[in-house]
Amino acid sequence: MALIVKKFGGSSVATTEKMMSVAKRILEEKKDDDKIVMVVSAMGDTTDELISLAKGINGEPYKFPREMDMLLTTGEQVSIALLSMAFQTLGHPAVSLTGPMVGLQTDSAYTKGRILDITPERVHEELNKGNIVVVAGFQGSNSLGDPVTLGRGGSDTSAVALAGALGADSCEIYTDVEGVYSADPRIVPSARKIKEITYSEMLEMARLGAGVMQPRSVEMGEIFKIPIHVRSTFTKASGTIIQGDYSMEEKSFVIRGVAHDENVTKIAVLGISDTPGIAHKIFDALAKANVDVDMIVQSMRNIEKNITDMVFTVSNDDLTKAKEVMETVAKELNASKVLIEENVTKISIVGAGMLGNPGIAARMFGALAKAGVNIEIISTSEISLSCLIKGGHVKEAVNAIHDEFFPNR
Ligand code: ADP
Ligand code: ASP
Ligand code: MG
C-alpha cells in the first residue's frame, strides 16, 4: 500500500477531455490498495482570466487582496468538482475537497499566504472510505475562515505540504514538460532533462525564475524530507527527482542550470548625497511597505560633491508599491531623479559545484560578450551568479550561456 500525492497543473487539466485522460491514467496506474490524493490547479489560463476580469473593475485589483482571493479560489474549485465527477464516471469513488476542508491553515497575507499548519483528518477519513481525494491547490483559509491563496504557482506548495502532513510515500508533480531541465525548454531547445537535483539547487533555480516549481514547494519538500518527482502529464517518461543529495554519477556537474526572470524592474535613484543613513532610509521604507528588494548597486557619481546613485531591482508584482514609496523617499532625500526601467531580465546560472571552481563567472560574462549583450548589474550567492540585462535579447543571452556550460554533445 502506498499513499501518493499527485499534483496536476493548469495545462494538464485545461479541458474536460484532458481531465478524463488524467483520470483514466490514474486508474490504470493505481494498484488496488494505493491511496491517491490529487491536488489540482485551475483549468488552463483560468487564473489569468480571473485576474483580467478583476481588472475590468479596477486597473489595480491587488489593492483588494481579500476580494482577489475570494475570486481566484473559484478557479481551483471548478477543477476539483469536474475531476471528481470524471473519476466517478469511470467507476471509481472520489470526493472533492477545498483547501479549508483539508485543514490547510494560512496566515492572513491575502494573495501570498503562507501555510501555518495542515490538519488533514478529513483526507484520511475519505481515503479510508476508498475514495480518491481531489484537493484544490493554491488555497487555504486564515483564522477568520477567509480564503487565502498561496501566490502564483501555489498548487505545487499545496501538494508538497499536504504530502508532508499526510506522511505520504511520495509526491509527484505532473506538468507540461518531462521534468526540470537545464534551462526553460520553451526558450532553449537544447536544454537537457535533469535526472536528480538537490533541494537547495532547485530552490535557487526556482527563486531565480525557473517557473516549473514554486520556490516554497521546494522548501516544504526539504522540511518534510519528501522526494519530489517532477514529470509529464502527457508521457510516461521518468522525470526529475528533487531530493537531499545526489547519487554518485550526478555529482560531477558544476552548473546545474540556467534560469531567467523577466518579472523584474530596475529602479535607479540618482543624485543622492553620499552620507551615512541614506541606504537605510531607502530600503527601510521599501521593507516597511513589504517590497522585496533584490540586486543592489551603489555607485559613486561625483566624489567632490559627495553625490551617489543607488540602483536596485524589485519584482514587477511590487512595482506599484515601490513607485509610491520611492516618490516620497526621493523627495525626502532630495534626489535629482528616479528612473524606472521595466523591460529588464535577470539571467542566472545555478550549481553547488560553483563553490571552489574559479573561472565560472568569466565564462558566463564571456558568453554574454560574444552574444553582444551588455551586463547592467551582477550579483552572486554561494551557488548562483546573476546578471541583469536589458529586455529584447533574452533568448540569445540565455542560449549563449546555456551553450557555454552545456555544449552540444
Ligand atoms: P503547471 O501549470 O503544470 O504548474 P507551469 O507553467 O507552472 O506548469 O510550469 C511548467 C513550465 O515551466 C514549463 O512549461 C516551462 O516552460 C517552464 N520552465 C521554466 N524553467 C524551466 C526548467 N528549468 N525546467 C522545466 N520547465 C521550466
Ligand atoms: N492557479 C494558480 C496559478 O495559476 C495556482 C497554480 O496553478 O499553481 O498561479
Ligand atoms: Mg506551476
Side-chain angles (χ1 to χ4, degrees):
M1 197 276 292
L3 198 170
I4 311 169
V5 174
K6 294 170 183 266
K7 178 256 170 178
F8 286 81
S11 49
S12 310
V13 292
T15 61
T16 49
E17 288 76 20
K18 284 190 174 157
M19 282 195 188
M20 283 306 283
S21 63
V22 163
K24 275 186 197 140
R25 174 174 176 179
I26 298 291
L27 295 181
E28 271 163 29
E29 292 178 358
K30 180 182 177 303
K31 299 200 182 74
D32 277 348
D33 56 355
D34 279 348
K35 292 181 169 177
I36 306 286
V37 176
M38 308 280 291
V39 173
V40 275
S41 295
M43 294 169 76
D45 297 326
T46 300
T47 306
D48 291 327
E49 285 156 14
L50 291 170
I51 295 169
S52 299
L53 200 59
K55 284 188 178 156
I57 300 285
N58 187 305
E60 290 182 17
Y62 282 97
K63 282 187 175 162
F64 315 104
R66 180 184 179 280
E67 305 314 323
M68 282 306 280
D69 278 353
M70 192 61 84
L71 177 69
L72 297 185
T73 46
T74 63
E76 271 65 15
Q77 218 164 306
V78 170
S79 300
I80 55 170
L82 293 174
L83 191 58
S84 171
M85 287 182 208
F87 282 117
Q88 295 180 60
T89 302
L90 294 169
H92 197 290
V95 63
S96 60
L97 298 175
T98 63
M101 288 165 90
V102 302
L104 195 152
Q105 297 150 44
T106 66
D107 60 15
S108 282
Y110 297 106
T111 76
K112 43 181 167 183
R114 290 189 87 99
I115 299 175
L116 299 178
D117 197 12
I118 304 186
T119 45
E121 283 72 29
R122 177 79 191 273
V123 179
H124 286 299
E125 270 168 36
E126 297 295 345
L127 288 170
N128 290 338
K129 285 189 219 158
N131 282 311
I132 289 180
V133 179
V134 187
V135 178
F138 184 46
Q139 53 170 266
S141 58
N142 64 9
S143 55
L144 299 169
D146 287 354
V148 175
T149 63
L150 306 177
R152 296 306 305 268
S155 298
D156 299 331
T157 304
S158 306
V160 180
L162 194 54
L166 289 167
D169 297 291
S170 64
C171 181
E172 298 169 358
I173 304 287
Y174 289 80
T175 185
D176 59 357
V177 285
E178 283 193 355
V180 179
Y181 282 70
S182 52
D184 185 343
R186 278 191 234 177
I187 305 281
V188 179
S190 61
R192 298 177 197 171
K193 186 160 73 182
I194 297 172
K195 264 204 245 166
E196 298 171 20
I197 188 166
T198 58
Y199 295 117
S200 55
E201 286 172 318
M202 188 63 231
L203 181 58
E204 195 76 351
M205 291 267 287
R207 279 191 187 136
L208 292 170
V212 60
M213 291 291 289
Q214 196 195 40
R216 273 185 213 161
S217 69
V218 185
E219 285 172 340
M220 286 288 171
E222 186 160 28
I223 291 168
F224 286 113
K225 296 195 171 45
I226 289 208
I228 305 168
H229 187 180
V230 183
R231 55 189 307 194
S232 167
T233 304
F234 309 114
T235 75
K236 302 226 166 169
S238 70
T240 303
I241 306 287
I242 308 169
Q243 57 191 10
D245 203 357
Y246 291 118
S247 55
M248 282 319 276
E249 66 167 315
E250 290 271 328
K251 271 202 169 139
S252 57
F253 288 99
V254 176
I255 299 299
R256 297 300 302 183
V258 183
H260 72 283
D261 186 358
E262 297 182 75
N263 194 32
V264 178
T265 295
K266 183 174 108 178
I267 300 182
V269 195
L270 306 182
I272 44 182
S273 93
D274 189 18
T275 46
I278 298 292
H280 174 255
K281 272 212 174 96
I282 296 175
F283 296 113
D284 187 48
L286 289 163
K288 284 191 175 127
N290 213 3
V291 173
D292 245 339
V293 174
D294 187 17
M295 301 167 123
I296 302 176
V297 177
Q298 182 180 316
S299 58
M300 184 58 72
R301 187 138 61 93
N302 188 328
I303 295 184
E304 276 137 42
K305 291 191 185 155
N306 247 6
I307 284 180
T308 184
D309 300 331
M310 190 74 80
V311 184
F312 56 91
T313 61
V314 299
S315 153
N316 290 351
D317 306 338
D318 286 336
L319 186 53
T320 315
K321 274 191 283 175
K323 270 186 188 162
E324 276 170 21
V325 172
M326 290 320 297
E327 263 169 38
T328 318
V329 175
K331 270 189 209 139
E332 268 176 39
L333 299 182
N334 221 359
S336 60
K337 215 179 219 172
V338 177
L339 294 177
I340 297 198
E341 201 178 332
E342 288 180 55
N343 190 20
V344 291
T345 297
K346 183 162 91 162
I347 304 186
S348 311
I349 52 174
V350 175
M354 282 167 69
L355 277 168
N357 235 311
I360 298 290
R363 283 173 65 191
M364 180 175 185
F365 304 152
L368 286 172
K370 240 198 275 170
V373 175
N374 192 45
I375 301 169
E376 306 218 340
I377 308 181
I378 297 165
S379 69
T380 60
S381 85
E382 269 197 350
I383 60 165
S384 69
L385 173 62
S386 305
C387 296
L388 191 77
I389 66 161
K390 281 210 182 341
H393 308 286
V394 177
K395 198 163 181 180
E396 299 97 287
V398 176
N399 274 282
I401 295 169
H402 188 268
D403 287 351
E404 170 62 31
F405 293 103
F406 301 89
N408 281 331
R409 282 168 291 197

